[in-house]
Amino acid sequence: MTSAPALAVLSLAIAWLGAFAGAVRAAEPVPGPIDARKVERLHLDDIRPVPDQSSFMELEVRALTRAGSPIRGLRSTDVQVWQDGQQIDADGISLREFSAQRESLAAVIALDASATMQGEPFKRAKEAAKALVQKLGRFDRVAVIAFAEDVRVVAEFKLPRQATQNALDALEIDLERSQRTLLYDAAQRSLELIRSEPALPRKTFVLLFTDGRDGGSTNTLARVTAYANSKFESVSIPVFTVAYARFGESGDGLRSLAAATGGDFAKPSLAQLPTAFDDVLTQMQGSYAVRYRTRLDGAPHTVRVSVENERAEREATYPYEAPSLWPYAAAVAVLCLLIAAAVALWRRRRVGQLRVLSGPQAGHVYPLHGGKITLGAVNDNDVVLPTRQVSRQHAVVLVRGRHVQIQDLQSLNGTRVNGTRIDTSALEPGDKIALADVELVFER
């Protein structure tokens, strides 16, 4: 039959395991309907520690169709994660949709304000930008940049939403400074605006709209893409490019910029412009957070994630988390218990005995262990010698290791060892002890 303590330990173990499993899967909501479309593109945008939950990292992943539509309803079993070539146990992975958690994001909208955008194109671009701003969540952040021969911030992240809308309404093309298009400078400035604001949400993107190719930027396509995908940052910033091909421009530079940063390239008509802008927001809001358990060691790691046949990989340096002190504290506690048990056993080790030779207790034998053994006439003594001549607390025997001594407690009739009255005396085997009229002998 199982004992009550064993059942209690088993119950605690089950509860602990349940709590651990809950910590791993707590973030995973009840999944929605399964999306039958095939995952044809996969982007790994961010690798970050999980706030208020030690030993967990989280990946920001976009699973898309070829056209860029987000795949809905993925389960944790659809995702595999590798760290430095070692696959993470599937039981330690959880998944949640970004939209289901109502998390916030930040965006920079960069609008081409060059002369070729005059009239209906620029009007439609501003309307599409305003519509996108209107669809952002309460805690989302947005900034607006206009670019032509120079790059200027029209609305900063700190502006209230209505002030940003008003800034877009007031935005006009400056014909005196609009003969060139500093496209790559605008993209770089958009990225710098995001990287310079540490308080922004981690999920960020740039939406860049233009009708032409770059016209004299100091930055290059290679520099912009390297900055967007910086290895010194655990989060990348996708740049989505939207081209209005008014003069038949192919948009190759814009296509390359989007592809290299994990964004998308679109070439809509003016009438389709709001939809193109909205598709960008829909894609970013359709991402997933993949959580897995690992050791936070402060070292760089290569993380790879796969869904179906698609894979994405990036490097990140994990934060350092000091090892928990609980295992060490538990070890120290166990060691202290073992020491205490050893001391107790040592003290309880029999080092000799007192045999009563006379008086009412004659023939009784009292084992001697470590510590103190009191002798006297009353019942609260270890050795009770109930005679009128023996004091209530008459003497005490002290045992330290193999050394035994007896001490008189200022008794009325005194204590003698081998006939000599003593205050304190060491005892050897065979020594006879007299407590008033009661005689005992010390034996090993």
Side-chain angles (χ1 to χ4, degrees):
M1 180 178 295
T2 305
S3 66
L7 286 174
V9 171
L10 181 60
S11 299
L12 286 172
I14 293 172
W16 183 86
L17 289 172
F20 174 78
V24 174
R25 300 236 177 233
E28 187 166 6
V30 177
I34 297 175
D35 193 331
R37 294 176 298 173
K38 182 180 179 181
V39 176
E40 297 177 283
R41 294 163 52 198
L42 192 67
H43 295 287
L44 175 52
D45 295 328
D46 191 8
I47 303 176
R48 60 180 179 244
V50 178
D52 304 323
Q53 195 165 347
S54 62
S55 301
F56 281 89
M57 292 293 287
E58 195 168 71
L59 313 178
E60 197 75 44
V61 176
R62 286 178 287 144
L64 311 171
T65 65
R66 186 172 300 279
S69 298
I71 300 294
R72 304 290 188 182
L74 289 179
R75 272 71 168 170
S76 58
T77 52
D78 298 322
V79 180
Q80 293 82 44
V81 178
W82 285 263
Q83 177 180 286
D84 301 326
Q86 298 293 320
Q87 187 169 2
I88 302 295
D89 188 348
D91 291 336
I93 297 174
S94 65
L95 187 75
R96 60 185 175 84
E97 292 191 36
F98 176 84
S99 57
Q101 299 300 311
R102 299 181 181 179
E103 295 187 18
S104 55
L105 53 77
V108 174
I109 302 173
L111 299 179
D112 184 345
S114 61
T116 54
M117 288 289 293
Q118 281 189 91
E120 193 68 12
F122 197 61
K123 176 184 176 183
R124 292 291 188 94
K126 292 199 303 179
E127 289 174 352
K130 288 174 61 181
L132 181 65
V133 171
Q134 188 65 33
K135 290 180 180 179
L136 293 174
R138 178 182 176 186
F139 297 107
D140 293 339
R141 306 280 294 280
V142 63
V144 178
I145 280 179
F147 63 96
E149 291 186 18
D150 56 7
V151 179
R152 53 198 171 98
V153 178
V154 175
E156 297 181 342
F157 284 114
K158 65 183 180 181
L159 281 185
R161 197 65 51 82
Q162 187 56 53
T164 302
Q165 297 277 25
N166 294 341
L168 281 166
D169 283 332
L171 182 60
E172 298 292 344
I173 293 175
D174 182 357
L175 293 177
E176 293 183 359
R177 300 187 57 80
S178 60
Q179 302 309 306
R180 292 188 300 152
T181 305
L182 303 185
L183 190 155
Y184 295 140
D185 284 351
Q188 180 71 15
R189 183 70 183 96
S190 299
L191 296 169
E192 290 171 352
L193 202 60
I194 291 172
R195 295 259 192 238
S196 64
E197 290 277 352
L200 289 179
R202 290 184 67 97
K203 178 182 282 298
T204 58
F205 67 92
V206 173
L207 195 161
L208 188 148
F209 174 71
T210 181
D211 73 344
R213 66 180 61 183
D214 185 73
S217 290
T218 57
N219 289 282
T220 63
L221 174 61
R223 181 177 178 183
V224 173
T225 56
Y227 190 69
N229 299 317
S230 173
K231 289 186 177 181
F232 300 103
E233 303 285 346
S234 61
V235 56
S236 61
I237 305 174
V239 179
F240 294 83
T241 56
V242 180
Y244 172 52
R246 186 173 186 175
F247 302 111
E249 293 283 356
S250 65
D252 288 344
L254 295 176
R255 197 186 305 272
S256 298
L257 176 58
T261 60
D264 274 345
F265 169 77
K267 199 174 180 180
S269 66
L270 287 180
Q272 297 169 328
L273 202 54
T275 301
F277 278 32
D278 189 51
D279 286 346
V280 173
L281 182 60
T282 299
Q283 183 181 132
M284 294 302 295
Q285 290 177 334
S287 63
Y288 292 88
V290 180
R291 184 172 296 185
Y292 61 98
R293 187 178 183 87
T294 187
R295 188 167 66 91
L296 305 185
D297 54 6
H301 295 278
T302 300
V303 179
R304 185 172 78 244
V305 60
S306 71
V307 180
E308 297 178 7
N309 294 322
E310 299 300 316
R311 294 185 175 187
E313 180 178 293
R314 66 181 294 112
E315 296 180 357
T317 299
Y318 289 0
Y320 177 74
E321 179 183 77
S324 172
L325 295 179
W326 282 110
Y328 301 103
V332 170
V334 169
L335 181 60
C336 290
L337 288 174
L338 290 174
I339 292 173
V343 170
L345 288 173
W346 178 75
R347 286 184 173 179
R348 296 298 300 168
R349 183 183 57 164
R350 183 167 175 166
V351 296
Q353 63 185 22
L354 292 177
R355 182 185 298 276
V356 183
L357 301 178
S358 64
Q361 300 294 92
H364 279 67
V365 174
Y366 296 92
L368 298 180
H369 303 287
K372 296 180 180 181
I373 299 92
T374 59
L375 303 88
V378 295
N379 290 333
D380 59 358
N381 289 286
D382 299 307
V383 178
V384 179
L385 305 171
T387 74
R388 292 184 179 181
Q389 300 300 315
V390 174
S391 298
R392 294 170 61 85
Q393 281 82 35
H394 196 106
V396 61
V397 173
L398 304 174
V399 179
R400 296 184 177 89
R402 299 288 292 173
H403 301 286
V404 182
Q405 67 178 23
I406 188 168
Q407 178 181 338
D408 184 72
L409 298 179
Q410 298 181 347
S411 63
L412 179 62
N413 294 314
T415 300
R416 290 175 171 80
V417 175
N418 297 325
T420 302
R421 185 161 181 162
I422 55 95
D423 291 322
T424 300
S425 174
L427 294 178
E428 299 293 339
D431 283 349
K432 290 186 177 180
I433 306 161
L435 275 64
D437 58 349
V438 177
E439 191 175 48
L440 307 92
V441 62
F442 171 59
E443 301 172 340
R444 285 291 189 191

